[in-house]
Amino acid sequence: MTKDKNGASRRQFLTSAAALGAGAVAAGAARAAAPDPLITEVQPWASGFGDPVDAHPYGTPIRFEDDVIRRNVEWLTADTISSINFTPIHALDGTITPQGCAFERHHSGAIELAKPDFRLMINGLVDRPLVFTYEDLERFPRENHVYFLECAANTGMEWAGAQLNGAQFTHGMIHNMEYTGVPLRTLLQEAGLDAAGDLADKWIYVEGADASSNGRSIPMDKALDDVLVAFKANGEALRKEHGYPVRLVVPGWEGNMWVKWLRRIEVMDRPVESREETSKYTDVMADGSARKWTWVMDAKSVVTSPSPQSPITHGPGPLVITGMAWSGHGRITRVDVSTDGGKTWQPARLAKDGENKALTRFYLDTDWDGSEMLLQSRAIDETGYVQPTKAQLREVRGLNSVYHNNCIQTWHVTPDGKAENVEVS
Amino acid sequence: EGGGTRFGLGREALPEEVAAWDVDVTPDGTGLPEGSGDVMTGEEVFVEKCAVCHGDFAEGVGNWPKLAGGDGTLDNADPVKTVGSYWPYLSTVWDYVHRSMPFGNAQSLTADEVYAITAYILYSNFLVEDDFVLSRENFTEIEMPNRDGFFVDDRPQTEYAQWRTEPCMENCKDSVEITMRATVLDVTPDDPSGDAPLTETEAAVATPVVE
């Protein structure tokens, strides 16, 4: 039986079209109107060849998944060099973000820095300032940890109202990867901290090799706690756009501090008060004063499906409501879901126990009766912190803090299965 | 963990290497190099190297950042956050311009040029007269208007304490109304196929960095 390159014969196409028309409202275990030609006729893939093993030395997703890509919003920034794009969280599941569609945020573009050209300097209040090559870093004892990285501005466009229609755009400045790297503590000890004296009031200043530098000040206790100098993510080298060959990993803290293309760490007796911790990444309150050093990302969650980019297409009946939750304070212990805009709540099922400062996947397996829903999720972390509503946040902060919007998100799901980003009373 | 293992990896950084990379300037002026620049020189350099994005008077062009103006707007519905209205320290201006500007041609300015540009930004914000000369010696005499406008993260006191409570599960609200809809604004990008992806030409708009 010969087939054209694209498979289906014309006769087969006509019969499947007929079957589709007849079975459009099929639900449950209803009897099919006619046999399914995808079953009753031999398909080309069941007869001919697929790709050989030498076709794709490094594979990419199948073409049918072309919509699972990073997107950008042109009007957000003056140009695309110092800008942001968004992870397609509406289409992902589990917790690990594929690196190829994990969001990017650069201040002077994604630079190309080869391993032989990489140098990492440690200087300042150390016993001996040091320069490391990439090879040096791989000779220190390594650790592996999964952590979320959330941009401080994630959900920032939603402060004043419901603005962008999709979880990718409202909550997609986030990714979650398994990092391999050397504890920063190990490298600081290599340079020696005796010269720094009492470490309690000391800081480090970290900067990247790119033009923007992205310098940030980090208190020494965090630096010695769980900060990693990472060179692998999800098993392979960091992607260029994520800081190849080496980036800083600052668990639980705002993404801006996860300095990419890391080139220098200076031990200091004071913070630098750099541009990225004065002009930016400071949070204006209603009275015009501003918080600084708002490092931790608080507990947060979002329903990823159903959502505006992931409508219900199957009609009433069994429905999986899913989403993700995370907290910079530690583990997620519980996620509650509401389908009525917060009047009533029920605990969702965590796919597995919450991990420290990492994404947690939750599910609510429901039976949808086809009526409208106002879907919300509410995360609770191990400190007992309960994810607040936007009204609660606004009451403390006003509307202009730009960063750290961890409010409860509402999706309005209509009987036709479509969903919209809304705010509710 | 104070006295950890030493592995003997890496090598001592040479003074020239540290000097090349350690250029940060702290609010007390530590890290500033020798040099000076006046407002008029700053205006010339600014018009030549900065104004295409930031405007002749540092007022900003299009979506590019405004460096001047916005005084007294921080508690407004739409605050305008500039060097003059928002930034707490002049050191940050010097450091950031020296290290990361002009956009697309960073680290191309001499110390004197950065002093002059910084003086001109001060002048554009009505913080100095037009004959002002900025130097390492008088740098810390400049006090920025919003230097006291910042306070350290107080979420533990103002938020965590009140939000670490057992949440409501039933009868939490009498009624629920939709008060805002994203589709009314209609500013979300359409289907990917309708968006122009980042093209080679767009990526080439930024001047390559001069080493």
Side-chain angles (χ1 to χ4, degrees):
Chain A
M1 180 167 165
T2 54
K3 297 276 180 186
D4 65 59
K5 188 163 163 288
N6 292 323
S9 67
R10 178 163 171 75
R11 182 170 56 87
Q12 193 183 355
F13 169 78
L14 292 170
T15 38
S16 11
L20 259 179
V25 289
R31 183 180 171 83
D36 184 348
L38 281 166
I39 297 170
T40 57
E41 300 200 7
V42 176
Q43 300 301 313
W45 52 83
S47 170
F49 293 131
D51 291 346
V53 296
D54 59 356
H56 306 288
Y58 197 115
T60 51
I62 196 166
R63 61 191 172 95
F64 311 122
E65 298 297 316
D66 278 357
D67 57 329
V68 186
I69 53 170
R70 298 187 277 227
R71 307 281 309 278
N72 74 307
V73 177
E74 270 184 39
W75 54 262
L76 276 182
T77 50
D79 73 335
T80 49
I81 302 291
S82 180
S83 193
I84 190 93
N85 63 26
F86 300 84
T87 305
I89 56 170
H90 63 289
L92 303 178
D93 211 320
T95 57
I96 295 294
T97 313
Q99 287 189 85
C101 65
F103 91 102
E104 304 168 67
R105 201 291 186 234
H106 317 301
H107 293 78
S108 49
I111 60 167
E112 185 173 86
L113 179 59
K115 285 176 184 173
D117 296 334
F118 171 85
R119 298 288 184 276
L120 174 61
M121 181 184 291
I122 300 188
N123 73 302
L125 299 173
V126 291
D127 303 344
R128 61 185 110 22
L130 292 176
V131 172
F132 298 110
T133 61
Y134 179 82
E135 290 71 22
D136 292 333
L137 293 185
E138 285 206 346
R139 296 172 65 189
F140 287 100
R142 286 170 223 169
E143 294 183 7
N144 293 291
H145 298 278
V146 177
Y147 294 121
F148 75 84
L149 182 168
E150 184 184 16
C151 177
N154 199 22
T155 322
M157 296 83 73
E158 302 297 307
W159 270 115
Q163 183 155 240
L164 286 161
N165 207 30
Q168 178 170 18
F169 302 109
T170 58
H171 289 75
M173 299 181 191
I174 190 166
H175 57 62
N176 190 70
M177 301 184 190
E178 182 197 48
Y179 293 97
T180 300
V182 178
L184 177 56
R185 180 190 330 117
T186 304
L187 300 183
L188 290 171
Q189 282 165 353
E190 192 70 19
L193 290 173
D194 293 343
D198 180 5
L199 297 178
D201 61 352
K202 298 303 183 295
W203 295 73
I204 59 164
Y205 182 68
V206 287
E207 66 181 21
D210 61 316
S212 82
S213 155
N214 200 60
R216 286 292 305 250
S217 307
I218 300 175
M220 182 61 83
D221 61 352
K222 178 68 173 178
L224 294 175
D225 178 17
D226 57 2
V227 175
L228 279 181
V229 174
F231 41 80
K232 290 222 167 21
N234 296 350
E236 63 181 354
L238 295 168
R239 294 286 169 98
K240 172 176 114 172
E241 62 270 30
H242 298 139
Y244 181 93
V246 175
R247 85 170 309 160
L248 205 66
V249 166
V250 191
W253 287 24
E254 62 187 13
N256 177 257
M257 306 175 85
W258 295 48
V259 171
K260 296 184 287 189
W261 313 293
L262 184 68
R263 88 170 190 183
R264 194 172 68 92
I265 298 158
E266 182 180 359
V267 176
M268 304 183 74
D269 61 3
R270 73 198 82 176
V272 167
E273 299 272 10
S274 67
R275 186 251 194 182
E276 306 296 331
E277 54 197 340
T278 55
S279 169
K280 307 298 177 187
Y281 306 98
T282 51
D283 316 2
V284 175
M285 303 289 114
D287 68 357
S289 67
R291 286 176 177 160
K292 67 175 181 179
W293 302 341
T294 46
W295 298 312
V296 179
M297 302 306 291
D298 294 328
K300 187 169 175 180
S301 68
V302 64
V303 171
T304 52
S305 181
S307 66
Q309 298 159 285
S310 183
I312 304 169
T313 54
H314 52 60
L319 167 71
V320 175
I321 296 170
T322 187
M324 55 199 208
W326 61 97
S327 173
H329 295 283
R331 297 168 200 280
I332 292 294
T333 53
R334 185 172 120 201
V335 180
D336 299 331
V337 171
S338 174
T339 56
D340 57 14
K343 284 187 194 171
T344 60
W345 296 85
Q346 51 187 318
R349 171 171 61 89
L350 303 188
K352 57 182 177 188
D353 288 346
E355 288 183 52
N356 184 38
K357 301 169 189 174
L359 286 193
T360 297
R361 173 62 52 177
F362 66 85
Y363 296 106
L364 189 71
D365 305 303
T366 57
D367 193 54
W368 183 47
D369 64 4
S371 58
E372 74 169 355
M373 294 187 285
L374 290 165
L375 269 183
Q376 299 183 334
S377 64
R378 178 176 71 188
I380 302 172
D381 71 21
E382 63 180 304
T383 71
Y385 175 99
V386 180
Q387 183 183 358
T389 62
K390 209 185 282 189
Q392 286 176 293
L393 286 165
R394 285 170 174 163
E395 200 179 334
V396 179
R397 306 183 196 171
L399 292 171
N400 288 321
S401 51
V402 179
Y403 306 105
H404 291 279
N405 186 352
N406 64 317
C407 70
I408 289 171
Q409 172 67 45
T410 310
W411 305 128
H412 178 223
V413 181
T414 46
D416 62 1
K418 293 197 171 75
E420 186 190 349
N421 175 10
V422 298
E423 279 188 23
V424 293
S425 57
Chain B
E1 294 201 26
T5 313
R6 290 252 162 78
F7 296 89
L9 293 167
R11 61 158 178 88
E12 193 109 4
L14 300 177
E16 301 91 325
E17 294 173 327
V18 173
W21 274 8
D22 182 354
V23 294
D24 51 74
V25 180
T26 50
D28 65 356
T30 304
L32 282 170
E34 274 301 329
S36 67
D38 60 63
V39 170
M40 288 308 170
T41 308
E43 181 179 37
E44 285 169 33
V45 181
F46 195 91
V47 166
E48 184 196 342
K49 302 188 177 186
C50 317
V52 64
C53 295
H54 296 294
D56 284 351
F57 308 100
E59 78 281 14
V61 173
N63 271 338
W64 298 104
K66 297 173 168 58
L67 308 182
D71 308 345
T73 64
L74 297 181
D75 60 353
N76 292 9
D78 199 4
V80 179
K81 298 187 278 182
T82 72
V83 171
S85 70
Y86 192 61
W87 290 36
Y89 305 111
L90 191 63
S91 56
T92 315
V93 180
W94 203 100
D95 175 301
Y96 183 68
V97 170
H98 178 236
R99 182 201 307 262
S100 297
M101 288 289 135
F103 192 58
N105 191 21
Q107 302 188 72
S108 63
L109 299 169
T110 66
D112 285 346
E113 283 177 320
V114 179
Y115 279 110
I117 289 169
T118 306
Y120 182 67
I121 293 172
L122 287 172
Y123 172 73
S124 300
N125 280 285
F126 306 107
L127 297 172
V128 296
E129 298 298 324
D130 63 6
D131 60 352
F132 178 72
V133 184
L134 182 67
S135 66
R136 181 162 78 172
E137 287 64 39
N138 70 355
F139 195 90
T140 54
E141 292 168 22
I142 302 291
E143 290 199 329
M144 302 303 283
N146 197 43
R147 65 187 174 280
D148 298 324
F150 297 82
F151 60 96
V152 175
D153 185 2
D154 66 348
R155 285 176 294 175
Q157 296 77 44
T158 57
E159 298 179 10
Y160 301 163
Q162 57 175 322
W163 296 339
R164 283 182 176 136
T165 55
E166 191 53 41
C168 176
M169 297 298 283
E170 285 183 348
N171 305 316
C172 306
K173 298 176 181 175
D174 291 336
S175 67
V176 174
E177 304 293 326
I178 292 176
T179 55
M180 286 203 178
R181 296 180 169 277
T183 52
V184 173
L185 279 172
D186 196 25
V187 291
T188 310
D190 295 330
D191 189 74
S193 53
D195 269 11
L198 176 63
T199 59
E200 295 280 344
T201 39
E202 279 177 273
V205 167
T207 324
V209 174
V210 177
E211 293 297 333

